[in-house]
Amino acid sequence: MTEQSEIFIDQTLHFTIASRDVRGRIVRLDKALDAIISTHNYPPIIANLLSEAVALAAAIGSTLKNDNGQMTMQAQSKSGVISLLVCDYKAGAIRGYVQYDEQKLDGRADDSLETLFADGYLAITIDHDADGRYQGIVPLDGDSLTQSVEHYFVQSEQLPTKIIFGHKLSDENNGVKDSIAAVLLVQHLPDGEEGKERLHVRLDHPEWEHVKILTQSMSAEELIDTEIPLEELVWRLFHEETVHIESGTKISKGCRCNEAHIRDVIAKFPSEERAEMAENGQIVVDCKFCSKDFMISLASFSN
């Protein structure tokens, strides 16, 4: 452990336990979460789910090897309250958005995945820049989005994973803005050598079972307690192990939409299609992530 601990807010903490073939991430979000949640006037059920998704995306995204990689997490359904939930992460910039049916949600207190997504599915896409693109898709099952992400790692990546999630939404009615969401993600790494056990038969491996049991002792309340440094949380869990800890990436709300980017995208369409997009000589593009409208003049494009 390092000599001094810090209270990490809007930052990831990385750790490894080499003797157990384990890696871990902790992320605790504060201002970055508020910035994302406050973009739209989400009802509590939707805000709760989005805060969970954003924290999960930050933890998963922080496992990427370099800043050129991008992680996108999407949960979709055709008949549920929510038709689309999407979050993505790149180089510490996180964003998220939920599209839902207000009429279906009206008066509901049930926030189960079955109610919110019905027959939905979860897709996680990893763009490794030069190393290619990978996508895994699994059904949205379990009691929470966190459980569905655990299932994704086991089923799509054969990576034993345990995740603890905790959160507290701000009370805007009383003028308090202190939303907190935190995730502890622990994974059993593959050894990647021929002739050794395939990872799918290592789910009950004694090394992983030991670490999983310790991880499960972490409470959601501890995770979101800003009086407890993240480094101390790792020490509480694994004080009998040799743990290597590194400060991770600063997390902030980041929307990559800007006029130049949107113009480049529109320019790829034929001039006839651009003309159909325009109204009164302007093409209006709305970004759901940042809730902004971008107006691009049709005349600014050369035919």
Side-chain angles (χ1 to χ4, degrees):
M1 298 290 174
T2 58
E3 292 183 0
Q4 290 185 339
S5 296
E6 296 181 21
I7 298 176
F8 290 93
I9 296 293
D10 292 329
Q11 183 170 340
T12 60
L13 182 75
H14 303 180
F15 64 91
T16 56
I17 307 175
S19 62
R20 303 285 186 180
D21 297 321
V22 160
R23 73 173 175 188
R25 298 288 187 271
I26 306 183
V27 59
R28 185 186 282 153
L29 301 179
D30 185 357
K31 293 180 180 179
L33 179 66
D34 271 331
I36 293 170
I37 298 295
S38 63
T39 300
H40 297 275
N41 187 26
Y42 292 115
I45 286 179
I46 304 299
N48 285 336
L49 183 70
L50 183 56
S51 67
E52 183 177 8
V54 167
L56 288 167
I60 298 168
S62 70
T63 65
L64 296 173
K65 294 181 180 179
N66 59 65
D67 287 346
N68 293 322
Q70 177 174 319
M71 191 286 307
T72 303
M73 181 170 68
Q74 296 182 65
Q76 292 184 258
S77 71
K78 292 182 178 180
S79 57
V81 171
I82 295 173
S83 56
L84 173 66
L85 181 153
V86 58
C87 297
D88 68 22
Y89 170 101
K90 185 173 184 179
I94 191 80
R95 58 183 182 173
Y97 167 72
V98 181
Q99 181 176 299
Y100 63 98
D101 188 317
E102 293 185 14
Q103 291 184 340
K104 289 183 178 180
L105 180 64
D106 187 32
R108 288 181 180 268
D110 182 6
D111 61 354
S112 67
L113 285 187
E114 183 177 358
T115 295
L116 296 179
F117 289 100
D119 55 350
Y121 66 87
L122 172 70
I124 294 181
T125 306
I126 306 291
D127 286 299
H128 288 292
D129 193 32
D131 295 331
R133 183 174 184 266
Y134 169 80
Q135 183 179 72
I137 300 176
V138 295
L140 269 169
D141 52 20
D143 295 331
S144 66
L145 186 61
T146 295
Q147 282 193 4
S148 290
V149 171
E150 288 180 345
H151 295 164
Y152 160 81
F153 277 111
V154 172
Q155 295 176 31
S156 293
E157 297 196 18
Q158 291 76 54
L159 201 60
T161 300
K162 185 62 189 174
I163 303 174
I164 308 297
F165 166 71
H167 83 298
K168 178 182 67 174
L169 283 185
S170 63
D171 185 356
E172 295 185 357
N173 292 329
N174 293 324
V176 178
K177 297 196 69 175
D178 59 352
S179 294
I180 300 288
V183 160
L184 165 64
L185 179 148
V186 180
Q187 297 178 314
H188 196 199
L189 296 175
D191 33 36
E193 297 180 25
E194 276 191 289
K196 292 195 175 183
E197 291 178 288
R198 291 296 299 250
L199 199 55
H200 71 268
V201 300
R202 294 172 62 92
L203 296 176
D204 60 351
H205 191 285
E207 299 284 7
W208 171 242
E209 282 296 308
H210 173 77
V211 171
K212 185 173 73 171
I213 290 171
L214 293 179
T215 302
Q216 290 173 165
S217 68
M218 173 65 65
S219 70
E221 290 73 23
E222 287 176 289
L223 269 179
I224 63 174
D225 187 345
T226 57
E227 296 300 315
I228 306 175
L230 297 186
E231 203 170 292
E232 183 178 329
L233 293 179
V234 178
W235 172 243
R236 289 183 181 186
L237 287 176
F238 306 114
H239 60 276
E240 295 183 352
E241 309 289 342
T242 299
V243 184
H244 176 69
I245 291 181
E246 296 180 2
S247 297
T249 306
K250 290 292 292 182
I251 305 296
S252 62
K253 178 194 174 185
C255 189
R256 292 180 290 281
C257 281
N258 56 57
E259 186 171 333
H261 171 72
I262 293 171
R263 185 182 298 279
D264 288 343
V265 172
I266 296 175
K268 296 176 182 178
F269 289 87
S271 58
E272 295 83 2
E273 293 187 26
R274 292 200 298 266
E276 292 177 0
M277 298 177 193
E279 184 175 344
N280 298 323
Q282 299 287 336
I283 300 174
V284 180
V285 178
D286 65 320
C287 175
K288 298 299 185 182
F289 287 105
C290 59
S291 193
K292 291 182 180 179
D293 289 339
F294 295 87
M295 299 185 66
I296 312 296
S297 171
L298 183 62
S300 66
F301 295 97
S302 57
N303 292 329

